[in-house]
Amino acid sequence: MANLLYFHLCRFVVYTFLCQTTIRAYNTGLSVELIHKNSPKSPFYKSNNKLYMHNRRDSFYRVPNKSYPLNGPFTRVTSNNGDYLMKLSLGTPPVDVYGLVDTGSDLVWAQCIPCQGCYKQKNPMFDPKRSKTYTPSPCDSKECNSLIEHSCSPQKMCTYTYPYGDNSVTEGLLSRETVTFSSTNGKPVVVEGIIFGCGHNNTGSFNENDMGIIGLGGGPLSLVSQIGKLYGSKSFSQCLVPFRTDPHTSGTISFGDASDVSGEGVATTPLLSKAGLPYYLVTLEGISVGDKFVPLNFSNKGNIMIDSGTPATYLPPEFYDRLVQELKKQISLPPIRDDPSLGTQLCYKSETNLEGPILTAHFEGADVKLMPIQTFIPPKDGVFCFAMAGTTDGLYIFGNFAQSNILIGFDLDRRTVSFKPTDCTKQ
Ligand SMILES: *[C@@H]1O[C@H](CO)[C@@H](O)[C@H](O)[C@H]1NC(C)=O
Ligand SMILES: *[C@@H]1O[C@H](CO)[C@@H](O)[C@H](O)[C@H]1NC(C)=O
Ligand SMILES: *[C@@H]1O[C@H](CO)[C@@H](O)[C@H](O)[C@H]1NC(C)=O
């Protein structure tokens, strides 16, 4: 029955290539760990704890200016301390790849040898020549044609260019490869024929810990679209650990039926999309600071995207200013004014976690409480800064700081996003 249905889907769905994906180990869902970049489970963890602490203290997070083009089809992560990495293994024999999880884009890609232009990467790069299962996609394939910017190599293979909103670009060969996931139930899951970009020329704001990006957006090439169907439903959920957290903990991401978000405390809002864009859009009506409701005065549907690849939350400047005014009223400490390295952010000195008001994000039909740990981030010792910013580019983002410690389910069949307050370090 399921197979038949699948067959029909395969005949009528536009993105027929997805149906060529085969899976060896099937179960009703897949959960994998989401590793914070500084976790001991990450290859980038500095095992010398002092060094790690040092690194963490000195590492300076400042809400960066972002520059997404208004109509750009893709956004990209702002690489900094707020990255979340997911491990998957590429090829046969498998090679571990730690990719940045990004609900704001689609393509799954990794840096590949030979490098025409790659950024420095700590771990060895994927070498397609050493994999028995690596297969470049032909230019006349469906997957190739689903990419906006693609062309044909002299060997008639699909070369792609995938630009991000911050002017980063990956270029390479669109390919298929066997991917192995280490799932949280201990059994590795092997999926054949996953479409990914073998990135031979990657430039922009990447850092040496990123081996690529795992696009989880709504478009056909994203990992979610490729494997979700194999697991019962095209849905996924994520639970991100907070920014400042015990490095031995990790969050999770789940696909298919394992991604169900239900039970007490769940708030659900409609998921919207715009034609041709892979973004997950929801409607934000305002944010309360404590009991004070600050309305967003243009609450058109789908006005904000949920992006796990962007750390800070970006809001209309005028709305952001009103939020800051209200925060200043309710926080009895004096804001820091004499530290140019902090820019114009609202920051406070505090030896322990900042005692700020609880914020409530009012999505359509869903109120989501945000604790100070989700809204004030320590860029350096004893300093906490409001992790939101105003932007004039019209693309508003609910970033990953604010998403932490919330189990967020993206139900792509029912078109909803569900939020459940959760201690993601205990997931
Ligand atoms: C970031 O934005 C601020 C305020 O708009 C501006 O003064 C600053 O020059 C910008 N920085 C960069 C690197 O664009
Ligand atoms: C690599 O990509 C950059 C940016 O897109 C481009 O300027 C450069 O020409 C490319 N290099 C090669 C060798 O293709
Ligand atoms: C939102 O409110 C501000 C300040 O009250 C006003 O200047 C702006 O025009 C309003 N925007 C919309 C779309 O109503």
Side-chain angles (χ1 to χ4, degrees), residues 244-386:
R244 82 200 98 118
T245 210
D246 176 348
H248 292 83
T249 59
S250 55
T252 54
I253 180 159
S254 303
F255 298 94
D257 290 346
S259 69
D260 189 43
V261 176
S262 54
E264 209 179 313
V266 175
T268 299
T269 192
L271 172 63
L272 299 136
S273 49
K274 288 203 174 106
L277 297 180
Y279 304 150
Y280 298 120
L281 301 170
V282 292
T283 306
L284 183 69
E285 293 166 345
I287 294 181
S288 291
V289 180
D291 293 335
K292 178 71 196 278
F293 178 63
V294 182
L296 191 61
N297 66 349
F298 84 108
S299 53
N300 44 332
K301 301 279 177 194
N303 57 5
I304 192 163
M305 70 183 281
I306 301 184
D307 184 0
S308 65
T310 296
T313 289
Y314 291 92
L315 300 166
E318 170 275 329
F319 175 66
Y320 167 77
D321 289 344
R322 280 186 287 141
L323 275 184
V324 167
Q325 291 312 317
E326 197 53 43
L327 281 165
K328 281 183 180 163
K329 266 192 227 163
Q330 294 190 30
I331 298 174
S332 49
L333 301 166
I336 300 174
R337 294 181 201 280
D338 54 359
D339 186 344
S341 72
L342 297 173
T344 54
Q345 291 179 100
L346 176 64
C347 301
Y348 294 96
K349 285 202 171 77
S350 177
E351 285 313 312
T352 55
N353 285 353
L354 187 75
E355 300 275 331
I358 293 171
L359 271 60
T360 307
H362 301 279
F363 296 108
E364 183 185 0
D367 290 349
V368 178
K369 280 200 163 60
L370 304 173
M371 302 298 150
I373 194 173
Q374 289 150 289
T375 51
F376 280 87
I377 300 304
K380 45 184 163 179
D381 254 7
V383 172
F384 289 82
C385 298
F386 187 43

Side-chain angles (χ1 to χ4, degrees), residues 116 169 171 201 203:
Q116 280 132 30
V169 185
E171 289 175 356
N201 181 11
T203 50

Side-chain angles (χ1 to χ4, degrees), residues 81-352:
N81 297 332
D83 294 344
Y84 292 90
L85 300 170
M86 175 179 157
K87 186 181 116 174
L88 47 77
S89 304
L90 261 185
T92 317
V95 173
D96 287 352
V97 168
Y98 291 81
L100 253 151
V101 294
D102 186 15
T103 57
S105 67
D106 268 8
L107 188 67
V108 178
W109 64 270
Q111 295 212 94
C112 276
I113 293 171
C115 263
Q116 280 132 30
C118 291
Y119 56 87
K120 189 172 161 247
Q121 173 180 310
K122 275 188 193 159
N123 274 23
M125 270 175 218
F126 179 70
D127 185 352
K129 282 212 175 69
R130 294 196 177 172
S131 172
K132 283 190 303 217
T133 42
Y134 174 80
T135 320
S137 299
C139 351
D140 58 3
S141 60
K142 276 275 181 358
E143 63 252 38
C144 189
N145 286 291
S146 76
L147 280 164
I148 294 170
E149 283 188 61
H150 61 91
S151 56
C152 237
S153 76
Q155 296 79 33
K156 300 269 181 286
M157 293 302 154
C158 180
T159 58
Y160 72 87
T161 301
Y162 198 87
Y164 295 92
D166 65 352
N167 298 323
S168 300
V169 185
T170 172
E171 289 175 356
L173 270 184
L174 197 67
S175 311
R176 281 178 180 266
E177 186 53 286
T178 299
V179 172
T180 308
F181 301 92
S182 36
S183 88
T184 47
N185 73 9
K187 279 190 208 144
V189 173
V190 180
V191 187
E192 292 173 356
I194 291 281
I195 301 153
F196 86 107
C198 214
H200 296 288
N201 181 11
N202 318 300
T203 50
S205 63
F206 303 109
N207 73 50
E208 60 185 4
N209 296 338
D210 311 332
M211 298 170 72
I213 292 183
I214 298 177
L216 297 174
L221 291 184
S222 87
L223 189 66
V224 172
S225 302
Q226 292 196 60
I227 72 168
K229 281 205 182 89
L230 305 171
Y231 285 99
S233 70
K234 214 182 103 193
S235 301
F236 71 104
S237 67
Q238 63 170 49
C239 206
L240 307 178
V241 296
F243 179 70
R244 82 200 98 118
T245 210
D246 176 348
H248 292 83
T249 59
S250 55
T252 54
I253 180 159
S254 303
F255 298 94
D257 290 346
S259 69
D260 189 43
V261 176
S262 54
E264 209 179 313
V266 175
T268 299
T269 192
L271 172 63
L272 299 136
S273 49
K274 288 203 174 106
L277 297 180
Y279 304 150
Y280 298 120
L281 301 170
V282 292
T283 306
L284 183 69
E285 293 166 345
I287 294 181
S288 291
V289 180
D291 293 335
K292 178 71 196 278
F293 178 63
V294 182
L296 191 61
N297 66 349
F298 84 108
S299 53
N300 44 332
K301 301 279 177 194
N303 57 5
I304 192 163
M305 70 183 281
I306 301 184
D307 184 0
S308 65
T310 296
T313 289
Y314 291 92
L315 300 166
E318 170 275 329
F319 175 66
Y320 167 77
D321 289 344
R322 280 186 287 141
L323 275 184
V324 167
Q325 291 312 317
E326 197 53 43
L327 281 165
K328 281 183 180 163
K329 266 192 227 163
Q330 294 190 30
I331 298 174
S332 49
L333 301 166
I336 300 174
R337 294 181 201 280
D338 54 359
D339 186 344
S341 72
L342 297 173
T344 54
Q345 291 179 100
L346 176 64
C347 301
Y348 294 96
K349 285 202 171 77
S350 177
E351 285 313 312
T352 55

Side-chain angles (χ1 to χ4, degrees), residues 62-66 344 390:
R62 179 168 164 187
V63 176
N65 292 7
K66 79 177 176 55
T344 54

